[in-house]
Amino acid sequence: MRQDLANRILSAATARLGEPVTLSRDSSSYSLRGIFSELHSEVDIDTGLNITSAIPTLTINSADISIEPAGNDRVTVADGRTFIVRETRPDGEGGIVLLMYMAQ
């Protein structure tokens, strides 16, 4: 029951807050909605200087896609930018957070 509730909440969130994205692997592509974010992280490397880094992420509902996303998959977001999946982190409730970097 808890899993069902979590899945319904995630479905509502991606429908309301998400944007259309395309996940591609080899010659296959999958259209779905996901919540895209570019978090900024600051790190002090013991020099007194802060280094800021952007961490693009995409949160998706695993029920919305027929494959399990993996490293090196490509994600194109609504504004046309393409990212490469670096790591996937299932949340244990049906959602998956994709940690990505900008494709060159």
Side-chain angles (χ1 to χ4, degrees):
M1 176 149 159
R2 180 173 175 223
Q3 180 75 26
D4 182 52
L5 177 60
N7 197 345
R8 286 188 291 153
I9 291 169
L10 183 57
S11 292
T14 55
R16 182 83 163 153
L17 303 173
E19 61 184 67
V21 298
T22 302
L23 186 136
S24 303
R25 179 182 296 162
D26 301 323
S27 61
S28 299
S29 63
Y30 307 86
S31 297
L32 64 152
R33 293 186 69 81
I35 301 171
F36 176 72
S37 175
E38 291 184 269
L39 302 172
H40 290 272
S41 176
E42 264 188 31
V43 178
D44 180 352
I45 54 172
D46 294 331
T47 64
L49 300 173
N50 286 339
I51 297 174
T52 301
S53 175
I55 305 168
T57 63
L58 181 70
T59 302
I60 62 170
N61 187 340
S62 60
D64 292 342
I65 190 164
S66 60
I67 64 167
E68 186 171 325
N72 295 321
D73 287 349
R74 297 176 85 77
V75 173
T76 303
V77 296
D79 66 8
R81 292 183 293 164
T82 299
F83 297 87
I84 298 172
V85 176
R86 176 173 52 91
E87 181 181 339
T88 63
R89 294 188 180 172
D91 69 3
E93 300 292 339
I96 304 172
V97 177
L98 309 179
L99 303 175
M100 307 178 297
Y101 60 91
M102 181 75 88
Q104 297 298 325

